[in-house]
Amino acid sequence: MVKKLPEPVAVRLGRSIADLAWKRRGKGVQRLESNYARVVPDASPERLAELSRAGMRSYLRYWMESFRLPAWSAERVRNGFEAKDLHHLTDGLAAGKGVVLALPHMANWDLAGAWVTTTLETPFTTVAERLKPETLYDRFVAYREGLGMEVLPHSGGTAFGTLARRLRDGGLVCLVAERDLSSSGVEVEFFGETTRIPAGPALLAQQTGALLLPVTLWYDKSPVMKGRVHPPVEVPETGTRAEKTSVMAQALADAFATGIADHPEDWHMLQRLWLKDLDPARSPSGGTA
C-alpha cells in the first residue's frame, strides 16, 4: 500500500505513525531517549523528548522510503542521496584491493546501498540478521537483493569466508557495524561508556588488505539524504591480531560517534547497546546489569 501511495501522502503517513508511537512512549521510545542521553549528556528532559520525537520521525522516514524503494526509478535513486568525500570509496575501488564500508544504524542505509549499485554501478555483499519467522527473513533478503545487493545470513559461520573472497576479488562489502549481535565483539569506548562492536570489519581489512571506510548518514529538511565517507581506518603496523583489531574497532567507533553526535536524531538505536544496559548473561562480570 505504501509503495503505491503518492509520495507526499506517504511522508505524512510516516510522520503520523511516528508521532503516535512517540506519544505512547513504549519501550522502544524510552530506550531511544536513554541512548540519546549518552550522546547528548547535557540535554534537559525536554530536549531529550524533542530528540526522541525527531528520532521516531527519522526512523519512520526510513521505513516509508524503504517500502517505496523497489518502485523508485533509477533517476529517483540517483537524486535521493548526496555523499561527501566520496573519493575515499571511488579511489579504493579503483585500486582493486577491495573496500569494506562500515555504517551505524543511521538514516536509510538501504537507500545508500541502492545508490551505490545504481549510481556507481557497483554491486556489493552484505550480511543480514536471520530473523524469525523464516518467511520474514526471506522477504528482507528478496527485498535487498532486488536493490542489487548480495545478502548473506549473519548466522551459519560461512559469511566471513564469502566476504573475504569478495574483497580479495576487489569487491565491495557493506556492513552495519555499531551493534554486536554475536556476543563476541570488541569492547570500545562509545560516548564515554563501554560497548561492543563487531570485529568483522577490522578482521576483514587485516586478512584481505581491503580498505576499511566508516560511513555516516543523515537527513536534513530536503528530500535528499546526506552522507559522509570518512577517511580510512588504517591497520596498525605492529601488535597481535587482537591488538590490531581493538585499535581499529575503536577508530571505527570514534568515526561513528562523530557522525551520531552531529545528527543524533538520525541514529535509530531503539535497542540496548551499552554493556551497563545489557542483561546479566551478556554483562562482562556476569552480575546485575
Side-chain angles (χ1 to χ4, degrees):
M1 181 189 73
V2 170
K3 185 164 59 174
K4 295 178 180 179
L5 288 174
E7 188 158 344
V9 176
V11 170
R12 289 197 297 272
L13 175 62
R15 178 163 290 198
S16 297
I17 295 171
D19 287 350
L20 179 61
W22 177 77
K23 288 177 182 178
R24 288 182 173 177
R25 292 194 57 78
K27 290 183 179 180
V29 173
Q30 293 179 47
R31 177 54 53 190
L32 186 65
E33 272 188 25
S34 175
N35 290 338
Y36 285 160
R38 263 70 172 243
V39 177
V40 190
D42 58 347
S44 65
E46 293 77 16
R47 172 59 176 150
L48 287 176
E50 290 174 1
L51 273 177
S52 66
R53 184 175 190 177
M56 291 304 295
R57 287 181 171 184
S58 177
Y59 187 43
L60 264 294
R61 176 174 172 176
Y62 157 71
W63 280 111
M64 291 293 135
E65 286 180 349
S66 294
F67 289 148
R68 296 173 60 79
L69 262 177
W72 281 15
S73 67
E75 181 180 8
R76 178 70 177 86
V77 172
R78 284 193 292 267
N79 293 335
F81 179 52
E82 292 179 2
K84 296 182 179 180
D85 299 325
L86 186 63
H87 65 91
H88 292 305
L89 172 57
T90 54
D91 290 351
L93 291 172
K97 292 185 177 181
V99 176
V100 180
L101 294 180
L103 307 87
H105 288 81
M106 292 188 76
N108 190 339
W109 47 96
D110 285 331
L111 172 56
W115 186 88
V116 167
T117 60
T118 302
T119 305
L120 301 185
E121 298 181 346
T122 302
F124 65 86
T125 304
T126 188
V127 174
E129 180 180 3
R130 189 176 286 281
L131 303 171
K132 291 185 178 181
E134 195 75 14
T135 53
L136 179 60
Y137 170 77
D138 291 341
R139 292 184 70 177
F140 267 104
V141 169
Y143 157 68
R144 289 188 168 122
E145 287 179 341
L147 299 176
M149 312 175 192
E150 179 188 20
V151 182
L152 306 176
H154 181 270
S155 58
T158 62
F160 189 90
T162 302
L163 295 174
R165 286 194 295 274
R166 299 292 184 268
L167 292 169
R168 290 190 181 101
D169 290 339
L172 177 63
V173 165
C174 299
L175 300 171
V176 181
E178 95 282 28
R179 180 169 176 253
D180 175 46
L181 294 172
S182 66
S183 300
S184 60
V186 183
E187 290 193 4
V188 295
E189 290 299 304
F190 196 54
F191 292 104
E193 293 188 33
T194 304
T195 186
R196 296 191 189 100
I197 69 171
L203 290 173
L204 285 167
Q206 290 179 58
Q207 293 192 19
T208 68
L211 199 66
L212 175 54
L213 298 174
V215 177
T216 52
L217 308 170
W218 67 92
Y219 293 122
D220 56 20
K221 295 182 179 180
S222 78
V224 181
M225 184 177 73
K226 304 301 192 296
R228 178 190 174 194
V229 182
H230 295 252
V233 173
E234 303 290 346
V235 178
E237 295 183 0
T238 61
T240 64
R241 184 174 71 169
E243 289 168 344
K244 291 179 180 180
T245 301
S246 179
V247 170
M248 295 174 73
Q250 186 61 61
L252 201 58
D254 291 344
F256 291 164
T258 297
I260 292 169
D262 287 342
H263 307 280
E265 67 278 7
D266 293 315
W267 185 42
H268 307 153
M269 185 51 63
L270 281 72
Q271 298 83 24
R272 298 174 188 269
L273 182 72
W274 282 272
L275 298 188
K276 284 184 179 179
D277 295 336
L278 296 174
D279 59 45
R282 295 192 64 182
S283 176
S285 64
T288 303

